[in-house]
Every structure is written in C-alpha cells, then in structure tokens.
C-alpha cells in the first residue's frame, strides 16, 4: 500500500507524537508498504544539537519520504496567533503534498491534534482516492475548553462544527483507549462501526540502550539520590504546579529529587516558582534526543506522569508507554477520567492518584522511596504489560486490518 502519514510533529522534534509517528512509519515500511510523511518544519521541542541544524524540505530517510513544511508559529505563541496558525495548517500541508507526492495514495492517516489537519485527510480522500483514517489523541475542542484555553462561545461553536464535519468525513476514527471510544459514542454520537480502539504503540527495543553509563545523574550531581523523573512537554495540560507543591511538602526527605526534563509554555513559570521557594529537590534539564532519553530512563528510579484535573477526557499520557518499555515503575497524578489509572493498576507497575490532591502525591513519592525493594518487580510487570498490549508489531497488525476494511 501507498500510505501517507500527516502529523504536525516528527523527529527530530522530541515528544510523544513525533516518536509515535516515526515508529508507525518504520513499522509500515518494514512490512513492505510505501510510506510518506508530511509534517511541520522542526521548530519546537528540540535538543540543543538539533536546534542549530538546517533540514531539507524534502528528503528520503531510511526509505521513508518526508516533507517538512514551513508554517506559521503554532507553539509558544499567544492564543490568537496559535488559532490562526492552526487554521492555515491545512493549506500549507496540502500545497506541499501536491508538490512532492504525485498520483493516488491508498491511505491517509492524520494525527490529531491539531484537528484542522483532518481537512488534509479529506482532500487526500477526494483528490487522491485514499482512505481517510483519523488517529485521535486529544479530543479537541473539549480539551481546550476544559483547560480554559477556549472560552468564547462563538469560537467554541466554530470548532465544534469543524469537529463534527471532520468526524463525518473520516472513514475510520481510532482512539487509544476504551474510555475515549465511549466518550465519542456517547458525547459525539459517532456510530459504533466508525470508531476503533487502537492502543498507542511503543518500540520496546528502542528503550533497551546498549550502554548505561549514568552520565546524566553524575552531571547533575544526583547519582546517589532517589530520582523521580518527569520527561516531556511542560504545558497547561500537565498541571505540574501540583507536582512542585508535592516536592515542597517532602523537601525534608533529602534523598528524593524530582528531575523535570523537557520544555514548554509553563516551564519558566515553574522554574521561577522553584527558585522563589528555594527548593533544592527539584531540578530542570532541557530536552535530550530519544536515544539518550532511553539511557536516562535506566538511571532514574521512578517515572512520573501528570495531567491537570482540568482535563475531562480519558486521555492516556504517551510517556506511560515509554516508562513501561524501559521497565521503570510509574507514579501517576492524573485527572479522574484518565484511563491511565486503570493501565497502571492492571499492569501493577506503580501507583496513581487523582490530580487534585498534591498531599496524596507527596505520600506516594515517599511510599515508593521506602519501597525501593519492590520497584524492580513493578518495573518488570510494566515491561511485560507493554510487550503484551502495546508492542509495535501487535498494534501495526491492527492498523493494517483497519486499512483493509
């Protein structure tokens, strides 16, 4: 099959979405499909080395055709500019696709958010005779409404209409958990036959680094500490302010350190908060490449996942899968609706609490510190759960079946 993946994020950008789509592209290529990717030009969530590089608009990377399209800024900008940018994304993408990818395609897979890219999937369906599969991660505009980013009734109505149109135009909609499927069926009135649960996948082998040299914790001077890691985008959805409060509450336990690796719109606010409180048990570090991140996961003791209680949908943070693949026990502070709670519980790979009680999170941090002797077993259970449920091969089997339906 000739398959086009449409996503606003792809390596060298470092985030769950980019890794997910890269692993999908490679998995489909390995099964003999002709794979193309249309994505934004790298500008956000980059390692220091990637920031200074120039990237071609069109390239062939390991037998995958990739176009990187320059667009208006759509991260780390005010809401108005971000909205305009997202609304113009489809035009920029469609122009690039028509220029570099000729002829018909069999399947167009659109990663959402951003939701407007769904129009590109429809145009592929209309003009390139493709099947249009919408891979729905965050349910927009509901998540933006919940977080308070969207308040204007007219703008909300505009995006809700866009949502209905794109859902109707898609041939299939995939979601990453049963909770998300139930949400679409009940709240959005999508028909049962249109929605499929497709768990997010993980390349297990990519999280088994060939060497583990402990360079990051040594560099930070915390190689002898009990390190709880948060790695990823630092934005409003993550609600890390509660995590900082929990760290403050246990600051008397000198062996525990919270290491936050990544970047985002909320980072500087959190840095200032940590400085103003004089906290010595919270450290920040910039994004690092995926290969190095896998090594870091082997150095730390616990992987932290965090979602603000303002989220009202059953979203599952992608970083859960990375922690599992690395055999790292998990501590979650998640909105009550998140299916992440049930995954952590079913896998028996750690603990989670609802993200409106930082005191409970503080208790769990200390509990895991005192249960060091149990962490290896928790991590192993998470690893085996990922192998059985989230391995790339199993998920791509299901994707191929969806393509053929």
């Amino acid at each position: 099959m000739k398959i086009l993946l449409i996503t606003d994020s792809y390596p060298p950008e470092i985030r769950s979405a980019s890794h997910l789509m890269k692993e999908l592209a490679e998995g489909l290529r390995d099964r003999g499909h002709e794979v193309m990717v249309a994505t934004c030009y790298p500008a956000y969530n980059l390692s220091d080395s990637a920031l200074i590089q120039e990237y071609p608009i069109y390239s062939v990377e390991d037998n995958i055709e990739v176009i990187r399209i320059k667009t208006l800024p759509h991260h780390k900008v005010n809401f108005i500019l971000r909205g305009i940018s997202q609304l113009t994304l489809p035009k920029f993408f469609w122009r690039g696709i028509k220029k570099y990818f000729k002829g018909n395609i069999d399947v167009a897979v659109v990663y959402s958010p951003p939701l407007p890219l769904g129009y590109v999937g429809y145009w592929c369906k209309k003009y390139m005779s493709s099947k249009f599969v919408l891979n729905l991660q965050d349910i927009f505009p509901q998540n933006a409404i919940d977080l308070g980013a969207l308040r204007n009734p007219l703008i909300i109505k505009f995006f809700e209409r866009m949502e209905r149109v794109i859902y109707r135009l898609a041939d299939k909609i995939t979601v990453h958990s049963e909770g998300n499927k139930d949400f679409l069926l009940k709240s959005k009135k999508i028909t049962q036959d249109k929605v499929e649960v497709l768990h997010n996948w993980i390349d297990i082998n990519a999280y088994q680094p060939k060497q583990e040299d402990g360079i990051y914790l040594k560099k930070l001077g915390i190689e002898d500490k009990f390190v709880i890691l948060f790695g990823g985008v630092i934005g409003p959805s993550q609600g890390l302010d509660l995590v900082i409060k929990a760290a403050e509450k246990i600051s008397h336990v000198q062996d525990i350190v919270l290491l936050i690796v990544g970047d985002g719109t909320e980072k500087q606010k959190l840095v200032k908060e940590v400085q103003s409180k004089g906290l010595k048990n919270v450290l920040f570090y910039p994004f690092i490449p995926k290969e190095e991140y896998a090594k870091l996961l082997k150095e730390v003791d616990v992987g932290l996942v965090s979602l603000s209680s303002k989220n009202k949908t059953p979203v599952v943070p992608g970083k859960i899968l990375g922690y599992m693949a690395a055999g790292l026990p998990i501590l979650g502070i998640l909105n009550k609706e998140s299916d992440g709670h049930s995954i952590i519980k079913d896998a028996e790979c750690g603990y989670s609490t609802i993200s409106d009680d930082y005191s409970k999170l503080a208790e769990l941090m200390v509990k895991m510190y005192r249960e060091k002797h149990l962490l290896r077993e928790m991590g192993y259970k998470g690893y085996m759960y990922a192998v059985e449920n989230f391995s790339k091969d199993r998920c791509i089997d299901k994707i191929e079946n969806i393509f053929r339906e």
Side-chain angles (χ1 to χ4, degrees):
M1 286 187 177
K2 194 173 179 180
I3 301 167
L4 173 61
L5 307 183
I6 300 164
T7 171
D8 80 325
S9 181
Y10 194 77
E13 290 195 356
I14 304 168
R15 55 186 300 189
S16 298
S18 60
H19 299 326
L20 203 65
M21 297 309 282
K22 176 73 179 295
E23 289 163 6
L24 176 58
E26 292 174 339
L28 292 170
R29 174 208 60 197
D30 291 345
R31 296 191 179 203
H33 299 289
E34 183 180 347
V35 182
M36 304 166 291
V37 176
T39 189
C40 293
Y41 191 87
Y44 310 98
N45 306 320
L46 297 168
S47 65
D48 289 343
S49 59
L51 273 170
I52 60 176
Q53 292 186 35
E54 291 288 330
Y55 299 92
I57 299 300
Y58 172 86
S59 60
V60 179
E61 303 170 11
D62 298 323
N63 292 320
I64 298 168
E65 293 183 77
V66 181
I67 56 171
R68 293 186 167 90
I69 301 157
K70 293 187 177 181
T71 66
L72 297 176
H74 56 286
H75 291 290
K76 295 186 179 180
V77 292
N78 65 54
F79 173 73
I80 295 175
L81 183 54
R82 182 171 184 174
I84 293 171
S85 175
Q86 291 206 1
L87 290 174
T88 60
L89 277 179
K91 293 294 186 182
F92 284 110
F93 268 67
W94 185 237
R95 187 184 305 158
I97 288 168
K98 288 192 296 180
K99 181 176 180 179
Y100 291 100
F101 300 144
K102 304 299 183 183
N104 289 343
I105 58 176
D106 296 300
V107 184
V109 180
V110 177
Y111 183 101
S112 174
L115 181 66
L117 283 181
Y119 286 121
V120 184
Y122 169 65
W123 293 334
C124 290
K125 175 179 177 178
K126 183 175 181 179
Y127 299 109
M128 293 180 163
S129 304
S130 76
K131 184 171 188 172
F132 168 23
V133 176
L134 181 66
N135 180 254
L136 196 60
Q137 297 289 326
D138 293 337
I139 300 175
F140 182 86
Q142 189 59 53
N143 62 331
I145 296 169
D146 295 339
L147 292 168
L150 276 183
R151 294 188 177 91
N152 186 299
L154 292 178
I155 296 176
I156 289 172
K157 190 170 291 186
F158 171 80
F159 280 114
E160 285 179 337
R161 181 181 182 280
M162 178 189 294
E163 180 187 29
R164 289 194 299 272
V165 169
I166 289 174
Y167 289 174
R168 176 172 54 81
L169 295 173
D171 295 299
K172 281 286 183 181
I173 300 171
T174 63
V175 292
H176 60 266
S177 71
E178 290 290 345
N180 278 280
K181 179 177 180 178
D182 290 343
F183 183 87
L184 286 187
L185 296 180
K186 294 173 183 176
S187 300
K188 303 299 177 181
K189 310 301 181 187
I190 310 298
T191 57
Q192 181 89 26
D193 62 319
K194 185 170 244 187
V195 186
E196 295 272 2
V197 175
L198 174 66
H199 292 298
N200 284 342
W201 49 92
I202 193 78
D203 184 352
I204 304 290
N205 292 332
Y207 288 84
Q208 310 304 316
K210 294 180 180 178
Q211 69 179 70
E212 302 166 28
D213 46 22
I215 59 170
Y216 288 103
L217 298 196
K218 288 178 183 176
K219 187 184 297 185
L220 291 165
I222 54 173
E223 65 270 28
D224 297 325
K225 300 293 187 180
F226 183 85
V227 181
I228 300 173
L229 169 75
F230 174 90
V233 176
I234 306 169
S237 183
Q238 283 67 47
L240 285 172
D241 53 322
L242 281 180
V243 176
I244 301 299
K245 289 180 180 178
E248 181 183 14
K249 192 173 180 64
I250 62 165
S251 58
H252 61 284
V253 186
Q254 295 183 358
D255 280 347
I256 302 178
V257 171
L258 173 64
L259 176 60
I260 300 176
V261 176
D263 199 359
T265 56
E266 298 292 296
K267 181 175 180 177
Q268 288 309 310
K269 185 179 81 172
L270 295 176
V271 169
K272 289 178 181 177
E273 182 178 352
V274 168
Q275 290 172 343
S276 69
K277 294 177 182 294
L279 298 181
K280 304 298 183 184
N281 62 340
V282 181
L283 298 176
F284 293 88
Y285 200 83
F287 274 116
I288 57 177
K290 181 181 177 182
E291 298 76 15
E292 295 298 310
Y293 180 67
K295 295 178 185 177
L296 174 61
L297 293 182
K298 296 296 185 179
E299 296 182 30
V300 302
D301 298 283
V302 173
L304 175 72
V305 290
S306 178
L307 284 175
S308 166
S309 62
K310 293 179 180 178
N311 292 287
K312 301 300 179 186
T313 57
V315 62
V316 177
K319 59 180 64 63
I320 285 182
L321 277 61
Y323 294 154
M324 284 183 160
L328 189 63
I330 298 171
L331 176 56
I333 178 165
L334 306 165
N335 60 303
K336 65 181 180 181
E337 297 86 358
S338 173
D339 283 342
H341 292 290
S342 59
I343 290 174
I344 294 170
K345 182 179 179 181
D346 293 347
E348 299 180 332
C349 64
Y351 303 106
S352 70
T353 186
I354 296 173
S355 51
D356 56 5
D357 187 355
Y358 69 87
S359 295
K360 181 63 175 179
L361 175 63
E363 288 177 20
L364 290 175
M365 286 177 167
V366 175
K367 178 180 174 67
M368 296 188 84
Y369 168 64
R370 291 174 176 163
E371 292 180 347
K372 294 176 189 176
H373 60 290
L374 301 177
L375 297 186
R376 184 181 292 273
E377 182 181 359
M378 287 182 186
Y380 179 72
K381 286 181 176 179
Y383 170 80
M384 291 306 301
Y385 192 90
V387 169
E388 293 167 7
N389 295 277
F390 306 131
S391 71
K392 187 170 68 172
D393 284 341
R394 285 181 180 237
C395 292
I396 291 179
D397 284 343
K398 184 160 188 178
I399 292 171
E400 287 186 311
N401 289 335
I402 291 170
F403 290 171
R404 295 187 180 107
E405 287 177 0

